[in-house]
Amino acid sequence: MATISATSQNQRSRRRGQLSRAGIHALLIVGSIIAIFPFVWMVLTSLKTFPEFAQQQFLPSVPQWSNYALAWNMAPFGRYLGNTLLIAVSATALVLITSTLAAYPFARMEFFGKETVFTLFLTTLMIPFEMTMIPNFITIRNLEWIDRYPALIVPFSASVFGIFLLRQFFQQIPADYYDAAVLDGAGHLQFLASIIVPLSRPALISVGLFTFLGSWNALLWP
């Protein structure tokens, strides 16, 4: 009797588990449909004629694939894409270089006023971009960089957030690595390039992604 009772309890618990998983999967499916629907609607709308679009017809009668060629030829989108890629990649590369070189002294070296300087760096994160936009524009104008690539790259070639993130990551690397590198005759730059940077790839990738997306999506400054 005890064996039969235990078996029935296991079957009931198994059924409850299956029902619970089925409910979770159903919710996930519904959520996925809700999330995907705007993209499906966007693609379907791009294949409609204007009257079909105006009437909010769900499916196009005949897919208008020529809409893509017409839209592409209405503006130099290839040039736009090339400009955005050049600016985003250049800004990301510069941020990674400057953030790495600035974060290393704050994390691994001792100098007078280090904590004070780092605190001042962090306080600049509270300054909204709109407050610095006009002074930056005046500087760009005086340098005669209006409508040139440096105006979109140089002002964003350093990131306090990137310095902060890399500094926190660099501090977690054991000091024994530096001691071993010094015994082998390595200096700070060699230790940074050979040990710190390879071990910090996750942090560098994070900084790079944030910078690239920020530059790619930038609207106000351009």
Side-chain angles (χ1 to χ4, degrees), residues 26 42 52 66 85 104 106 136 140-141 151 161 178 199-200 211 215:
M42 177 181 66
E52 291 174 343
S66 59
L85 280 173
Y104 179 79
F106 285 125
N136 283 341
I140 294 300
R141 185 186 61 185
F161 172 76
Y178 178 71
L199 292 176
S200 304
T211 305
S215 180

Side-chain angles (χ1 to χ4, degrees), residues 48-106:
K48 299 175 185 176
T49 62
F50 185 78
E52 291 174 343
F53 165 74
Q55 296 172 7
Q56 297 296 309
Q57 183 175 322
F58 182 70
L59 292 174
S61 301
V62 177
Q64 303 295 316
W65 299 104
S66 59
N67 288 346
Y68 290 102
L70 179 63
W72 183 264
N73 293 326
M74 290 184 69
F77 288 106
R79 177 65 184 272
Y80 296 162
L81 180 62
N83 287 341
T84 306
L85 280 173
L86 175 62
I87 294 166
V89 171
S90 300
T92 301
L94 288 173
V95 164
L96 289 175
I97 293 172
T98 56
S99 297
T100 301
L101 293 176
Y104 179 79
F106 285 125

Side-chain angles (χ1 to χ4, degrees), residues 64-181:
Q64 303 295 316
W65 299 104
S66 59
N67 288 346
Y68 290 102
L70 179 63
W72 183 264
N73 293 326
M74 290 184 69
F77 288 106
R79 177 65 184 272
Y80 296 162
L81 180 62
N83 287 341
T84 306
L85 280 173
L86 175 62
I87 294 166
V89 171
S90 300
T92 301
L94 288 173
V95 164
L96 289 175
I97 293 172
T98 56
S99 297
T100 301
L101 293 176
Y104 179 79
F106 285 125
R108 314 296 302 191
M109 300 173 67
E110 295 296 332
F111 56 89
F112 177 76
K114 182 176 76 170
E115 297 300 328
T116 302
V117 174
F118 185 69
T119 302
L120 291 175
F121 263 65
L122 292 182
T123 56
T124 62
L125 290 173
M126 295 185 293
I127 302 175
F129 171 72
E130 289 75 11
M131 290 185 62
T132 63
M133 185 172 62
I134 293 177
N136 283 341
F137 176 78
I138 294 173
T139 302
I140 294 300
R141 185 186 61 185
N142 292 337
L143 292 172
E144 298 182 353
W145 283 355
I146 300 297
D147 291 333
R148 296 185 179 180
Y149 290 117
L152 298 172
I153 298 173
V154 174
F156 306 99
S157 60
S159 168
V160 176
F161 172 76
I163 295 172
F164 168 75
L165 186 64
L166 291 181
R167 182 245 190 190
Q168 301 304 110
F169 198 90
F170 290 173
Q171 284 184 327
Q172 298 177 8
I173 296 176
D176 295 342
Y177 289 174
Y178 178 71
D179 296 336

Side-chain angles (χ1 to χ4, degrees), residues 26-44:
L27 288 175
L28 291 174
I29 291 172
V30 172
S32 300
I33 293 173
I34 294 173
I36 293 173
F37 180 77
F39 297 97
V40 175
W41 180 262
M42 177 181 66
V43 173
L44 292 176

